[in-house]
């Protein structure tokens, strides 16, 4: 796994600050990163210094980092050359999904000011993610940040993961503005049946509120990516959900069916929740076929390619973030490896019944 937070001894300031790590420090936003002895890297920025363990600066060069003296950490907010940079807006959430990969907390640590500064320093044309918890619990702060960053950096694009339950008609001017159009809203929808959806997200009335939010997004002609995490609870309901999406959310592009991530709550209830798509792809195939007939673009996220029948493999891009991605011994020499997304780092070998090198 690639570490996103590194222990750092920070001197010369009490306040956290964001800098870009470079070998030459040519602008005021740059900090100089160099090796001082065989096991220490030093970051210099004006009168501040930070020390991290390591012998090779190259994995960090170009990163936009948050150095925090109080926590003695260096957080890699934007890793140079990575397509998977996401800001954690909050760990608070108003749902309690049965398979939540990041179980919510009651406290909120506000990092908007640092995320804004990091976004302004992002590489040209970068796509930056915002996730939680539920980011729109801080909707005003989030919209303001996106407006300011877009004004200064119109080249950037954003992806915000949200339960869409906090949008109202008053948000349409922002959602349909030039800043709002730089955002793709990733919205989880788990079933066409209100009771089943609410049961999966652990919140009464969530389905109803989600439909209202989707209506707002639709009216604003916002970019919506629907996300359906596959579990034993909703696998057989996928074809019905496909009909629902084609009728009521046809503007979704794409509709992503996602394999389960074995972390957080899903880790505790893995045997109960994991639906082995290598042993039974039937409801997934049926759902894809229904969506395709209505020209709703459908993708499979986090599916190892050999667990997908060949005719559907083109729909399964490599989506697992680089920092938490791995391959198994089985994958050695596989002809699909270059286009396969492999596994989450916390995956265990026994999950899929059929896993075959191609
Ligand atoms: S064997 Fe490994 S690399 Fe090949 S398709 Fe399966 S998961 Fe992907």
């Amino acid at each position: 796994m690639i570490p996103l937070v590194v222990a750092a001894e920070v001197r010369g300031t009490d306040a956290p600050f964001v800098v870009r790590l470079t070998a030459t420090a040519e602008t005021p936003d740059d900090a100089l990163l160099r090796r001082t002895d065989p096991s220490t890297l030093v970051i210099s920025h004006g009168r501040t210094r930070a020390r991290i363990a390591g012998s090779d600066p190259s994995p960090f060069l170009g990163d936009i980092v948050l150095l925090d003296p109080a926590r003695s950490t260096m957080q890699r907010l934007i890793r140079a050359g990575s397509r998977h940079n996401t800001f954690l807006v909050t760990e608070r959430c108003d749902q309690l999904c049965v398979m939540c990969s990041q179980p919510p907390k009651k406290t909120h640590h506000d990092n908007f000011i640092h995320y804004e500064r990091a976004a302004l320093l992002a590489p040209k044309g970068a796509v930056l993610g915002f996730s939680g918890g539920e980011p729109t619990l801080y909707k005003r702060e989030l919209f303001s940040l996106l407006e300011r960053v877009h004004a200064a950096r119109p080249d950037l694009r954003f992806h915000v993961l949200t339960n869409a339950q906090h949008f109202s008609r008053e948000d349409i001017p922002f959602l349909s503005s030039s800043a709002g159009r730089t955002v793709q809203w990733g919205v989880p929808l788990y079933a066409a049946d209100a009771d089943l959806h609410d049961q999966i997200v652990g919140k009464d009335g969530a389905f109803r509120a989600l439909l209202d939010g989707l209506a707002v997004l639709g009216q604003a002609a916002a970019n919506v990516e629907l996300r359906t995490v596959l579990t034993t609870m909703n696998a057989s309901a996928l074809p019905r959900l496909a009909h629902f999406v084609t009728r009521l959310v046809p503007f979704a592009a794409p509709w992503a069916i996602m394999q389960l991530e074995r972390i957080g709550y899903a880790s505790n209830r893995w045997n109960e929740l994991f639906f082995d798509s290598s042993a039974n792809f039937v409801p997934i195939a049926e759902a894809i076929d229904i969506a395709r007939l209505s020209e709703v673009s459908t993708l499979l996220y986090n599916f190892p390619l050999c667990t997908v029948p060949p005719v559907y493999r083109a729909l399964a891009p490599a989506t697992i973030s680089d920092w938490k991605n791995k391959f198994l011994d089985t994958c050695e020499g596989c002809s699909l490896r270059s286009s396969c997304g492999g596994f989450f780092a916390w995956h265990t070998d026994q999950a899929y019944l059929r896993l075959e090198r191609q």
Side-chain angles (χ1 to χ4, degrees):
M1 258 174 71
I2 300 172
L4 301 186
V5 181
V6 177
E9 181 192 330
V10 186
R11 295 269 169 82
T13 180
D14 293 331
F17 61 101
V18 172
V19 285
R20 182 195 295 115
L21 302 181
T22 68
T24 50
E26 289 167 4
T27 78
D29 298 315
D30 294 345
L32 187 64
L33 174 67
R34 63 200 159 83
R35 189 174 81 159
T36 52
D37 63 52
S39 60
T40 310
L41 300 173
V42 169
I43 298 161
S44 312
H45 185 249
R47 296 152 68 95
T48 61
R49 297 280 181 280
R51 298 160 72 87
I52 61 174
S55 57
D56 178 12
S58 60
F60 301 107
L61 287 174
D63 282 7
I64 318 292
V65 300
L66 171 63
L67 286 157
D68 190 333
R71 296 178 174 212
S72 298
T73 55
M74 179 182 84
Q75 193 177 340
R76 303 170 75 187
L77 295 179
I78 299 177
R79 284 173 301 117
S82 173
R83 294 183 297 113
H84 304 282
N85 291 304
T86 296
F87 301 147
L88 180 69
V89 171
T90 183
E91 292 183 272
R92 287 187 56 223
C93 189
D94 55 340
Q95 299 192 141
L96 206 56
C97 299
V98 292
M99 69 302 197
C100 180
S101 59
Q102 176 114 19
K105 295 182 180 162
K106 288 200 166 66
T107 51
H108 171 67
H109 190 74
D110 196 322
N111 267 326
F112 277 107
I113 190 171
H114 303 306
Y115 295 156
E116 180 167 344
R117 184 157 168 74
L120 293 172
L121 298 176
K124 192 166 171 42
V127 180
L128 302 175
F130 291 84
S131 76
E134 175 47 49
T136 61
L137 293 179
Y138 299 87
K139 189 171 66 175
R140 292 293 144 221
E141 294 88 338
L142 179 65
F143 287 4
S144 301
L145 180 152
L146 292 168
E147 277 173 338
R148 286 192 299 273
V149 172
H150 175 66
R153 292 290 308 273
D155 57 304
L156 300 180
R157 295 293 174 269
F158 306 96
H159 181 277
V160 178
L161 198 53
T162 172
N163 64 29
Q165 293 170 34
H166 302 277
F167 294 129
S168 63
R169 291 186 57 78
E170 289 71 49
D171 297 323
I172 291 178
F174 170 76
L175 294 169
S176 56
S177 69
S178 109
R181 292 203 185 287
T182 63
V183 182
Q184 184 180 49
W185 305 94
V187 179
L189 171 64
Y190 297 127
D193 176 79
D195 289 342
L196 179 55
H197 178 88
D198 289 3
Q199 189 187 349
I200 291 173
V201 303
K203 179 182 170 186
D204 289 342
F207 183 80
R208 187 67 255 167
L210 167 56
L211 291 198
D212 291 346
L214 283 171
V216 170
L217 289 166
Q219 284 174 52
N223 303 312
V224 174
E225 172 201 55
L226 275 185
R227 294 182 155 214
T228 303
V229 174
L230 177 67
T231 69
T232 50
M233 294 173 73
N234 64 351
S236 64
L238 277 185
R240 188 164 167 229
L241 179 57
H243 284 298
F244 181 89
V245 170
T246 59
R247 275 190 294 113
L248 293 176
V249 209
F251 52 87
W255 174 33
I257 300 170
M258 304 174 62
Q259 216 4 315
L260 191 61
E261 184 173 355
R262 190 174 190 155
I263 196 167
Y265 292 153
S267 174
N268 304 334
R269 299 179 61 183
W270 182 256
N271 292 337
E272 189 189 334
L273 291 175
F274 176 66
F275 182 82
D276 185 355
S277 48
S278 76
N280 179 8
F281 200 79
V282 173
I284 305 163
E286 198 179 327
I288 293 171
D289 293 346
I290 293 164
R292 277 169 144 185
L293 274 176
S294 296
E295 299 184 356
V296 170
S297 147
T298 307
L299 291 176
L300 300 169
Y301 290 178
N302 313 337
F303 282 71
L305 279 182
C306 56
T307 68
V308 176
V311 289
Y312 295 105
R313 284 182 186 161
L315 304 179
T319 45
I320 297 176
S321 301
D322 55 356
W323 63 272
K324 56 179 178 179
N325 179 233
K326 75 170 182 185
F327 286 88
L328 307 179
D329 292 345
T330 323
C331 306
E332 282 302 316
C334 177
S335 62
L336 297 178
R337 166 114 185 207
S338 61
S339 52
C340 180
F343 304 86
F344 289 102
W346 23 84
H347 178 85
T348 54
D349 298 8
Q350 298 79 18
Y352 291 99
L353 189 65
R354 299 197 185 112
L355 208 58
E356 293 166 32
R357 180 188 306 139
Q358 307 289 301

